[in-house]
Amino acid sequence: MVSKRGLLILSGLLWSIAGFNVLRKGISALVSDHRWWIMLLAILIAAGFLMMFRGVVRKYTLRIRTLEGERFPFYRFMSIKGYLLIGFMMTLGITMGLIPGMPTAFFASFYTGLGTGLSYGAIRFFINAYTS
């Protein structure tokens, strides 16, 4: 059983792991195909994910902070809907990686942007764990 702070930290850890792995793949692709427009696209995609994940983190943080009680099972850091969304996103990412002929530009821009957004979300969860 963990506290609400513990649930926020667990959220940050999950988002950190996901963000690091996706960002690593994106940067690897970006290094191999470093045309200026791919970098610009990665920045634009990152900006979109930053705005989207800001709201998601706020919503999840509010859900955790309004849970009734003091101690919770570790898996309560996310709702069932959240687990389903993560499962879908992982399945989609793995499937896209298996499609032959996917352009490097896609992985470079999309994965770099997504990984940046997820990493930002992780940082926000860690900050929220230590602020009221």
Side-chain angles (χ1 to χ4, degrees):
M1 303 289 274
V2 296
S3 66
K4 291 178 183 181
R5 175 177 287 167
L7 294 177
L8 290 169
I9 292 170
L10 283 171
S11 296
L13 289 172
L14 178 73
W15 284 53
S16 293
I17 292 166
F20 173 76
N21 285 322
V22 173
L23 188 57
R24 181 180 48 82
K25 288 180 181 182
I27 290 174
S28 293
L30 196 60
V31 166
S32 68
D33 189 356
H34 54 275
R35 293 174 280 182
W36 70 269
W37 64 270
I38 295 173
M39 291 183 199
L40 177 61
L41 188 58
I43 292 169
L44 293 173
I45 291 170
F49 278 120
L50 288 171
M51 288 187 284
M52 181 175 72
F53 289 148
R54 181 182 322 140
V56 171
V57 169
R58 191 176 301 130
K59 178 181 168 184
Y60 280 21
T61 299
L62 180 62
R63 188 189 69 74
I64 289 170
R65 286 184 175 161
T66 57
L67 288 172
E68 301 230 358
E70 294 297 316
R71 312 282 294 161
F72 309 92
F74 73 91
Y75 55 82
R76 292 281 309 269
F77 73 93
M78 196 176 308
S79 65
I80 299 232
K81 183 179 171 184
Y83 282 112
L84 291 173
L85 180 62
I86 284 183
F88 171 75
M89 289 174 60
M90 288 175 61
T91 302
L92 185 62
I94 291 167
T95 302
M96 287 188 320
L98 296 174
I99 296 173
M102 283 293 279
T104 304
F106 169 78
F107 291 110
S109 57
F110 187 76
Y111 279 18
T112 301
L114 176 59
T116 301
L118 288 167
S119 298
Y120 165 80
I123 291 166
R124 291 301 316 163
F125 275 120
F126 289 132
I127 290 170
N128 291 344
Y130 291 97
T131 59
S132 347

